[in-house]
Amino acid sequence: MNKNKPFSGRTILVAVVVVLVLIMLFSSYTIVEPGNRGVVVFLGDVEEDNVLPEGFHLVLPPLARQVTQVNVRTQKIEIVTEAASKDLQAMVITAVLNYHVDPAGAGLLFQQVGLDYENVIIAPAIQEALKAVTASYRIEEVLVNRAIIKDEIASILSERLGTNQIIVDQFSLQNVEFSEEYNQAIERKQIAEQGAQQKEYELQAAEMDIQIAIANAEAEKEAAIRAAEGRAIARQIEAEAEAQALALIAEQLRDNPALIQYEWATRLSPSVNTILLPADQEIILGGDSLITSPTVESTETITTTTEE
């Protein structure tokens, strides 16, 4: 018996079959990475409903079916684009979109768009939405209504990208830059507004000074009126006192008529001495002893003149 006898044809056939089986076994499984979905393609036809989740999978027949992995994690795209306002003022806007592929629609996205969906549908959609929304606002309204503009763009993107299995997670306007001419116009406007505010402040200060002067004049006027009223009241009180005094004098004169004669006699001349004697007195004193002396019982007035 020859030990160096070559392999028979049957042995070779078995070996070939074993090799083919091993090749089929090793090529019939696939591992879908975390954060991805496996899109199965059978002889060039995408099986939309046969999307493989993460993990190990057998794909039979291995040569007819192939698996392409699609990223379904949240991804970020940043777009810098030029836009124009309603009044045709140019601006440069930096926008950021966070999105992810709908896991259930990964097969349809791969079939309709492919794996380069960012450049094919997402970036153009962002640029178009930015230009459409900013064109409805005047340049001075863009920054004031920034939050509203952001929400409007996000709404447009959600609707448009949603038809292509792209879900919008968050949209933001990272930066808005205006043209140099507009920035200079804004600076001039701010300077003018500051000047106007300064003039307004000066006007308010002048008005305040006028009000203070008016208040001081009113206070002085009120003080003068009060002083005049005080003087008038004082004169009134004084006149009332004088009237009461005159009434008292008149009453005394009615009770003593001789007092009028006495007052009249004492005021004739500084050189005249006047005395009062009783009405029935007939004695006349000497000239050297004459003095002015009123008596209670006097009813007549005697006037004498002495030579010095």
Side-chain angles (χ1 to χ4, degrees):
M1 185 175 182
N2 189 1
K3 296 181 178 180
N4 295 324
K5 183 179 178 179
F7 293 105
S8 63
R10 183 178 179 181
T11 303
I12 295 174
L13 179 61
V14 171
V16 171
V17 171
V18 170
V19 171
L20 291 176
V21 169
L22 291 175
I23 292 174
M24 291 182 63
L25 288 175
F26 280 106
S27 61
S28 63
Y29 79 92
T30 186
I31 297 176
V32 179
E33 299 294 333
N36 291 267
R37 291 295 183 270
V39 177
V40 180
V41 180
F42 178 66
L43 298 178
D45 183 20
V46 176
E47 298 180 352
E48 300 176 10
D49 299 331
N50 188 15
V51 178
L52 303 179
E54 302 170 356
F56 177 84
H57 302 277
L58 287 175
V59 180
L60 297 174
L63 298 180
R65 280 188 170 89
Q66 296 179 350
V67 177
T68 300
Q69 299 196 33
V70 178
N71 187 356
V72 295
R73 296 187 184 96
T74 297
Q75 302 179 71
K76 172 184 174 181
I77 180 174
E78 181 176 313
I79 296 294
V80 179
T81 186
E82 294 183 355
S85 62
K86 186 177 182 180
D87 49 352
L88 302 180
Q89 293 292 328
M91 67 187 82
V92 178
I93 301 177
T94 302
V96 177
L97 174 67
N98 292 336
Y99 71 95
H100 70 274
V101 175
D102 184 4
L108 185 60
L109 175 65
F110 180 72
Q111 181 186 40
Q112 295 179 345
V113 181
L115 296 179
D116 193 22
Y117 42 80
E118 276 197 357
N119 294 324
V120 175
I121 59 173
I122 297 179
I126 295 175
Q127 293 177 351
E128 183 178 348
L130 281 171
K131 294 178 181 180
V133 173
T134 55
S136 61
Y137 290 88
R138 296 181 61 85
I139 188 67
E140 64 271 11
E141 299 173 340
V142 172
L143 291 180
V144 177
N145 299 292
R146 185 168 180 168
I148 299 176
I149 293 174
K150 181 198 72 172
D151 292 340
E152 290 181 1
I153 296 174
S155 178
I156 293 174
L157 292 177
S158 296
E159 181 179 356
R160 178 170 179 178
L161 297 178
T163 60
N164 290 301
Q165 319 307 316
I166 302 295
I167 298 176
V168 173
D169 295 325
Q170 184 179 9
F171 176 80
S172 62
L173 296 175
Q174 191 173 42
N175 189 33
V176 179
E177 296 181 357
F178 302 106
S179 64
E180 185 62 27
E181 293 78 7
Y182 180 73
N183 290 333
Q184 293 176 357
I186 289 295
E187 183 177 358
R188 291 193 296 269
K189 181 180 178 181
Q190 291 176 346
I191 294 174
E193 289 178 349
Q194 291 175 355
Q197 291 177 355
Q198 179 64 27
K199 293 297 184 182
E200 181 68 19
Y201 172 78
E202 293 176 356
L203 178 61
Q204 292 177 355
E207 291 178 350
M208 184 62 67
D209 292 340
I210 293 173
Q211 292 177 0
I212 293 174
I214 293 174
N216 291 335
E218 290 292 336
E220 293 177 357
K221 176 182 177 182
E222 184 67 21
I225 292 173
R226 295 292 179 85
E229 291 177 349
R231 291 192 297 270
I233 293 173
R235 287 196 297 270
Q236 182 180 358
I237 295 173
E238 182 179 356
E240 291 177 353
E242 290 178 356
Q244 292 177 358
L246 291 174
L248 182 60
I249 292 172
E251 184 179 355
Q252 293 296 326
L253 291 176
R254 283 194 303 270
D255 296 339
N256 192 2
L259 182 59
I260 298 176
Q261 296 177 358
Y262 171 76
E263 290 293 333
W264 173 76
T266 56
R267 287 172 172 77
L268 289 176
S269 174
S271 61
V272 176
N273 292 328
T274 303
I275 61 173
L276 294 179
L277 296 176
D280 55 353
Q281 178 67 46
E282 297 179 355
I283 299 175
I284 297 180
L285 300 177
D288 295 335
S289 62
L290 288 178
I291 60 173
T292 302
S293 175
T295 61
V296 178
E297 298 178 355
S298 173
T299 58
E300 296 180 0
T301 301
I302 300 176
T303 303
T304 63
T305 302
T306 59
E307 297 293 331
E308 294 182 353

